Amino acid sequence: MKEITNSLNKKIYYIVAWTVIAIMISGLLIDNPRFGEFGVVYISHSILVVILSVCLLLYRTNGSAILRLTIIIVASIYFYILFLFYPETSSTYVFLCFIPALSILYFDSKLFYFSLLLNFISIVIIYGYILLMDGMQYPFIEEDPIGNFVNFVASQIIVYFIFYLTNGRIKKQQLYYEQIQHSERLKTTGQLAAAVAHEIRNPLTVVKGFLQLFEKDSSYSVDRQEQFTLMIDELNTAEQVISQFLSVAKPDKENVTEKVNVKVVLQSVTDLLHSYGLLHDNRIELKVTEDCTISANTIEFKQLLINIIKNAIEASNIGDRVLVTAGREKDFVVIQVIDQGQGMSEEQVVSLGTPFYSLKSKGTGLGMMICFNIVEKFNGTIDFQSSIGHGTAVTIRFPTSKLS
Ligand code: ADP
Ligand code: MG
């Protein structure tokens, strides 16, 4: 499917590019007042058409930022040259107004602002040139310079609004697409987990049972028995991973959605993790501004908070505090878990939720995946603001409960 859209896009691109090239060439050949003179004007016009055509054709295979910038600069020069070299064709002024619109096609906001600025500076220079030196050739500007300039500025504002609205929409669509990709990933992992985990859990239980028998069998030496204990420990870890995985794959109907009091759950979770935090002298501070309720499953909601607060404690330095806040924002309950620990880079934040992604020597890398799943299940959102060395703020939003 992707290949079909790709080849379709490629075809459309080349059709558009060749059409533009054909229009530029026809500008050179058809009814051109400088045609046949082969002076500086005509030659530089021709060179610009060639450069612009090559850039346009290259762009599909090498869509680098530098090439984009080159296209915009060459196109600007091209339109200004048209304006300057063919003063009798007053409609070329219209092109000048729409130069920044070209960069909208590349969805590159920096390029757009650059193009807008470049266009503004160029038009001021052009007005200066016309009014001070060469007014006779552009009577429409000389007769009403202010009116023409105001129109130019208005056209730039219109182009800006078009850019602003399209860009916002594209960004939203991109975000939506990423979210869909993410939930697809979760769905696949869930199905995979369900299939594999059961198959592994049974043989594990059998092996563990035998090992527990051997561990208690005094006919084995103490050394051997210690090895059995070690093997049982390792199997326990494996079992833990599997149970975590299975909790993702559980069918929905097993979990009832109920009215959950956020304050009560947060209190119980922070009490539970209090002693875990004390291991590294980390205090957990809880601030709940008002009573709020959400529609969720208490056990899963606890699991979500435990995972996030545990991560915050694990990322914290000795003595740091972890702040947990909850409050209401319009129709949403907002819970934040803020630590001042090691933080994450942008790439690390993007990788969160990928199964087995963990930077800890004893991590399972499943915690965040489970969290994403739970948040999604109860129509919530989760965001991360993090900077390396400064800490992380995890923000969870759930709609307030409509259950009575
Ligand atoms: P685990 O905790 O088992 O490693 P998680 O899925 O809970 O797995 O977390 C994945 C990784 O994300 C962690 O290993 C850690 O590197 C990073 N991470 C999660 N939360 C934080 C946080 N608050 N601060 C810094 N890193 C974090
Ligand atoms: Mg974790």
Side-chain angles (χ1 to χ4, degrees), residues 309-322:
I309 300 175
K310 224 168 130 252
N311 277 347
I313 294 173
E314 285 160 3
S316 292
N317 304 312
I318 294 176
D320 280 354
R321 92 191 158 137
V322 171

Side-chain angles (χ1 to χ4, degrees), residues 311-312 315 339 343-344 352 357-360 363-368 392:
N311 277 347
D339 67 66
M344 288 174 277
L352 289 177
Y357 171 76
S358 175
L359 298 178
K360 298 169 194 163
T364 59
L366 294 172
M368 288 322 300
T392 306

Side-chain angles (χ1 to χ4, degrees), residues 14-150:
Y14 280 120
I15 291 175
V16 173
W18 278 111
T19 312
V20 172
I21 293 171
I23 293 172
M24 289 194 296
I25 293 176
S26 64
L28 265 179
L29 302 179
I30 302 174
D31 200 26
N32 186 319
R34 310 282 176 278
F35 187 71
E37 283 174 16
F38 294 106
V40 181
V41 171
Y42 197 75
I43 290 174
S44 30
H45 183 174
S46 310
I47 290 173
L48 278 167
V49 170
V50 172
I51 298 177
L52 206 49
S53 306
V54 172
C55 287
L56 282 177
L57 292 177
L58 273 183
Y59 186 73
R60 187 67 181 84
T61 42
N62 166 23
S64 64
I66 298 210
L67 192 57
R68 277 203 293 269
L69 184 67
T70 316
I71 293 180
I72 294 300
I73 292 176
V74 176
S76 304
I77 297 173
Y78 174 75
F79 286 124
Y80 275 95
I81 289 272
L82 284 190
F83 178 75
L84 285 177
F85 286 176
Y86 302 94
E88 60 275 41
T89 322
S90 57
S91 54
T92 44
Y93 186 69
V94 178
F95 287 135
L96 303 189
C97 299
F98 286 100
I99 291 175
L102 293 176
S103 56
I104 296 180
L105 298 175
Y106 296 118
F107 301 116
D108 180 338
S109 40
K110 272 190 208 144
L111 189 68
F112 175 77
Y113 291 121
F114 168 78
S115 169
L116 205 62
L117 187 71
L118 182 72
N119 205 26
F120 200 77
I121 295 171
S122 315
I123 204 79
V124 170
I125 295 173
I126 290 287
Y127 266 73
Y129 166 73
I130 292 172
L131 296 179
L132 299 177
M133 343 234 311
D134 205 10
M136 289 319 288
Q137 282 194 306
Y138 302 90
F140 67 100
I141 287 187
E142 216 195 14
E143 275 166 27
D144 184 12
I146 293 178
N148 276 299
F149 193 73
V150 168

